[in-house]
Amino acid sequence: MRRFAAIVLIIILIFPSLALGADATQLTGFSPAASNAQRDWEQKFRAIPSPDNLREYMKRLSARPHHVGSPYDKENAEWILSKFKEWGFDAHIETFDVLFPTPKTRVLEMLEPTKFTAKLEEPVVADDPTTSQRAEQLPTYNAYSIDGDVTAPLVYVNYGLPKDYEDLDRLGISVKGAIVIARYGNSWRGIKPKVAAEHGAIGCIIYSDPQDDGYSAGDVFPQGPMRNANGVQRGSVMDFASSNPGDPLTPGFVAASSTPRLAIKDAKSITKIPVLPISYSDAQPLLAAMKGPLAPQSWRGGLPITYHVGPGPAKVHLKLAFNWDLKPVNDVIAKIPGSTDPGQWIVRGNHHDGWVNGADDPVSGQVALLEEARALGELLKQGWKPKRTIIYCAWDGEEPMLLGSTEWAEAHADELKQHAVVYINSDDNVRGFLQMGGSHTLEQFTNSVARDIEDPETKMSTWKRRQAHDIFLAKSAEDRAELRQRPDLRLDPLGSGTDYTAFLDHLGIASLDLFYAGEDSEGIYHSIYDDYYWYSHFADTDFVYGRALSQTIGTAVLRMADADLLPFEFTDFADTIQQYTKELEKLLKEQQDTITERNRQLEDDVFRASSDPRQPMVAPQHEDVLPFLNFAPLHNAADMLTQSADRYKQALAKLKLGDSVSPQSLTALNEILMQSERRLLTDEGLPRRSWYKHMLYAPGVYTGYNPKTVPSVREAIDQKRASEADQEILRVAKVLKDEAALIDQATEQVKAMTK
Ligand SMILES: [Zn+2]
């Protein structure tokens, strides 16, 4: 961190012009007069959020464990409800009954070559008062692991990703009938038991290696922020990416009392094999007892042992059983009705449930949302009236897998498709750089907001600071040139792992996910140590980045709610699609080159010749090279989109917003723009996972939270399904052409208004 501070100073010396200047430029979507009035309201808004309030809310919300179904989870929902009401919102709680398993039996013991029983417990830390709330803490476990009682030799599988199993094949090691031990990291956790089961393993253990978030990465809690020897990462392993998030028993439908529920054995998103997370103090004896080949260099972690792959001789017994109960999730929903366009909704959300006390995840984001809501309440008292309806949502049940937000989105699907303009999400928040993810039709809008927010540490704009940081880290001259010249910083595409998923991927509502991060290290994720003591010692200790998040998202909400013309923009979007098209071609070429080279090495006997006869390497199988694909439809559609985006931009430049434009014509134009993200869906959805309907963004089936853009094409290439890839190129091209047609319709409407 200190080293980082020095770096930032150097950047300021090189770029002396980075200070935040008062920006008087006209806001997109506002007339000159409305833009000035809006800037006044926004400035008033940004002066309101207070770090002291954020601190007090965090103390309240993280005072006791508050997972789904717990007493304090309910109390928090009711407290949040009372706050929304106090601040002038029309608020209520919506409750859904969902499947939420909790542990009944957890046994992990080594039977051979020595005996060892895993503790499976996180000890109390004397200085940290909430760690002693034993009776209310959920034990360490992975939610939606299937019940199981298995005994087998251990195999170490590194991070447990498909590539790791290819490396195991080279070593001649199979996991069939084995229990695998994988380390946390490099992917979403649920991928590990999924891939293990696909390779024939009968159980899965996931441990936190100190190299990733323990002592190799920094001082451990309570001396520092990193994971101590007994800290365990709880977390959901629901296979949401291959099926759907939300209640596993009512996929695609709201979990209402009248909805028929699947039997648990038929729920697709529950794991195929039992899986348990453990600490590194529990993992070390197991790993130390393993023999077999030495683990490849990149597989070795930070424990003071020699890492072997196995199988065995360590033999373990894993026994897990869960209470498969329905539990209520309590979403708190609060509204400010729109004054002139009440049928256009700005939806803003952050979850309130945690795995335990959850001060960082999710309370650091929830308190920013609450302070935004209080500030909007203050503006209402001062006479501000939003044009559009604003809906604030404090979700429950995010941790088990987006239960509260998904069920609410499914319950209100028809209304949301008709009325929702945008969904803006946050989750946890610490110090650092503004992280901007979302729909690329909102890229210019998001950049415009970031330019108006002051970074608490440097006092430059959060946009400038982020740009400088990206330039500093850029890997090529080409990337640096783009960062300096392109007017907007690129938004990260959204994958999953937080509550925007149903809104974006299932309903086609343009979405944003915003937070600050990059300066605080953390190794307490989903443990009992993620609490107020940790957050107030090692994260945003003075809550100024909490205030910055309130200011950032609150400004976005205000601007979206008040704009005459919705600030969707399509040239950045089209540029992104052009980029994705090039990436897909490159991906195919790389696949072809890799397989061609490997086949040649097989023919030339390279594997046998370079193998150590005492530690022989197993050569891979010959594989057919993927044929060329026809990307022409995608190029044509992307070009069509680029042209439509340019025409809309040109038409808009001639439109003078103000008194001469009728409200009816603006509403008509906004109604077209609101549907622009919906056009990117197909009814049939993605192959084999039809709940996911967005053709441009999805979580990856084998990456989980990480996004796959143009997912059906990209994954068909990844998984070497050539004819499917060709088919999917056509489907994506069709969606992009439809989008271009919608933009043309908007252009015609703008032209009619300009006459
Ligand atoms: Zn969270």
Side-chain angles (χ1 to χ4, degrees), residues 121-124 130-138 528-529:
E121 203 169 273
E122 299 178 294
V124 170
T130 62
T131 57
S132 62
Q133 295 167 333
R134 283 278 175 244
E136 291 183 273
Q137 292 164 354
L138 268 180
I528 65 169
Y529 311 116

Side-chain angles (χ1 to χ4, degrees), residues 351 361 398-399 427:
H351 70 103
D361 181 8
E398 188 269 359
E399 292 298 359
D427 198 322

Side-chain angles (χ1 to χ4, degrees), residues 52 119 314 560 603:
D52 290 342
K119 296 181 292 294
M560 267 288 168
E603 280 157 29

Side-chain angles (χ1 to χ4, degrees), residues 578-592 629-632 634-635 713-714 717 729:
Q578 297 280 8
Q579 197 191 31
Y580 291 164
T581 304
K582 285 186 203 117
E583 279 174 21
L584 291 169
E585 282 184 311
K586 199 168 147 230
L587 176 67
L588 175 66
K589 173 93 174 50
E590 283 167 1
Q591 284 266 20
Q592 290 171 325
L629 300 174
N630 181 14
F631 285 102
L634 204 52
H635 281 296
V713 178
R714 201 179 290 265
I717 298 172
I729 286 173

